[in-house]
């Protein structure tokens, strides 16, 4: 396909995307029925009537001039803002999204999108916005270790678990993709704008689109499809995290769940998933082993005095002071001093009564 043909088909896909009464499923039906979006726009009404799933309103809407004008304007905006548009069926569109029954006809991307083959070397990490300190510490350790193993971390850039996963992944030198429920030039929440600059952002919404409540459950299917497996860290029974897990199962992906504290509503979602067969997950090794991937290389060991080195080595997972006292064998005063020194150097943190690596 020449560059001119590529642009023409992208323009056609964008025109269909901006056509009223046409959602992803109907657009995909049109594309598959006629062989391309361009052919669908050129088809007569009699031929369009043969496409499954189209009602009277959608039939009348196909090929309206307003949608074509909107597509041209959107292409101009994307060029001006340095945003890449990827069209279904065109080079660069992630094959991993073939797992969906309703793949987006067009994706908006800010940054460099990594490869997402049919089974991507990527893991989604999701959880509640109001995560516990323990969950945040575990998320950071999990995401950093996955990043060191060359795994792309995918999440939704929301507060809480999503933010911790993105920060830890890029902090460990990895690649992280934020899938938004808004346009790539409308980062939500606004406090994550600086973090977003370190990520690749992906959305199925036109530039300028703000966040909306119904966008978030929809974007969760993209997180699921772009991942070989999805880890649910915390989430209530009726939460976006469980919606993502459901999409993952529908896509044939593996679902992982982190056990939580009995009685904590935030643990109810993962516990249900575990009862239904999700893979119990406490560290990155659980994910890597289940997916048959190489283990992460050990994090660089800093040059530390003996007591601090022993305490740091024991922080493989978040642990209480008593746990560390038992595992290191250090006298309590020396252990406490070592932990404080690690904290001052930015190598450890105490959250919710547990110590964890940073």
């Amino acid at each position: 396909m020449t560059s001119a043909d590529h642009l023409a088909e992208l323009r056609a896909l964008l025109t269909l995307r901006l056509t009223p009464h046409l959602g992803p499923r109907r657009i995909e039906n049109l594309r598959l029925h006629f062989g391309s979006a361009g052919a669908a726009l050129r088809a007569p009404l009699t031929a369009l009537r043969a496409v499954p799933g189209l009602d009277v309103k959608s039939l009348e809407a196909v090929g309206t001039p307003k949608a074509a004008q909107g597509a041209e304007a959107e292409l101009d905006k994307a060029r001006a803002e340095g945003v890449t548009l990827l069209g279904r069926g065109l080079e660069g569109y992630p094959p991993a999204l073939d797992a969906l029954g309703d793949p987006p006809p067009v994706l908006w991307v800010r940054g460099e999108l990594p490869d997402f083959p049919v089974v991507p070397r990527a893991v989604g990490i999701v959880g509640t916005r109001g995560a516990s300190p323990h969950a945040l510490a575990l998320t950071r350790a999990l995401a950093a270790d996955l990043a060191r193993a060359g795994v792309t971390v995918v999440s939704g850039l929301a507060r809480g678990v999503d933010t911790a996963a993105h920060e830890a992944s890029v902090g460990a030198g990895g690649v992280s993709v934020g899938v938004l429920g808004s346009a790539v030039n409308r980062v939500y929440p606004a406090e994550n704008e600086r973090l977003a600059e370190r990520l690749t952002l992906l959305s199925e919404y036109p530039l300028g689109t703000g966040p909306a409540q119904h966008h978030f459950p929809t974007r969760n299917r993209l997180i699921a499809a772009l991942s070989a497996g999805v880890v649910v860290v915390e989430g209530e029974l009726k939460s976006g995290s469980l919606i993502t897990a459901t999409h993952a199962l529908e896509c044939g992906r593996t679902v992982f769940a982190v056990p939580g504290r009995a009685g904590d509503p935030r643990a109810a979602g993962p516990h249900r998933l575990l009862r239904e067969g999700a893979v119990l997950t406490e560290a990155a090794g659980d994910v890597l082993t289940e997916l048959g991937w190489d283990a992460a290389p050990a994090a660089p060991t800093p040059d530390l005095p003996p007591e601090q080195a022993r305490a740091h080595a024991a922080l493989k997972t978040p642990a209480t002071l008593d746990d560390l006292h038992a595992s290191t064998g250090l006298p309590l005063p020396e252990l406490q001093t070592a932990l404080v020194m690690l904290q001052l150097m930015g190598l450890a943190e105490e959250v919710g009564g547990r110590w964890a690596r940073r």
Side-chain angles (χ1 to χ4, degrees), residues 18-114:
L18 299 177
T19 299
H21 311 295
L22 290 183
R25 288 184 187 275
R26 286 174 171 170
I27 294 173
E28 183 68 354
N29 286 345
L30 282 165
R31 190 184 73 85
L32 293 176
H33 185 86
F34 292 105
S36 71
L41 287 174
R42 294 189 296 270
L45 185 60
T46 52
L48 289 171
R49 288 197 181 104
V51 181
L54 297 186
D55 57 16
V56 174
K57 286 185 176 179
S58 56
L59 284 169
E60 292 174 347
V62 175
T64 54
K66 186 176 180 181
Q69 292 163 6
E72 203 61 56
E74 187 69 16
L75 286 168
D76 290 341
K77 280 190 231 173
R79 277 190 287 266
E81 297 209 22
V83 171
T84 301
L85 298 186
L86 302 177
R88 179 73 175 159
L90 296 175
E91 184 180 356
Y93 191 94
L97 295 183
D98 290 347
L100 294 173
D102 59 344
V106 179
L107 294 172
W108 282 255
V109 179
R110 195 180 87 185
E112 186 174 347
L113 192 70

Side-chain angles (χ1 to χ4, degrees), residues 124-139:
I125 301 179
V126 296
T128 182
R129 289 169 172 79
S132 67
H134 171 66
L136 293 176
L138 188 144
T139 297

Side-chain angles (χ1 to χ4, degrees), residues 163-226:
T163 295
H166 289 307
E167 287 178 338
S169 175
V170 296
V175 176
S176 192
V177 175
V179 184
L180 305 187
S182 58
V184 295
N185 64 344
R186 289 286 302 275
V187 172
Y188 178 82
E191 71 236 33
N192 276 345
E193 285 182 356
R194 292 190 67 180
L195 171 60
E197 293 172 0
R198 305 170 67 195
L199 312 176
T200 294
L201 301 184
L202 181 146
S203 174
E204 61 182 305
Y205 299 107
L207 295 170
T209 304
Q213 189 171 1
H214 64 279
H215 289 174
F216 296 101
T218 303
R219 69 93 192 266
N220 289 347
R221 81 194 196 288
L222 301 185
I223 295 174
L226 291 170

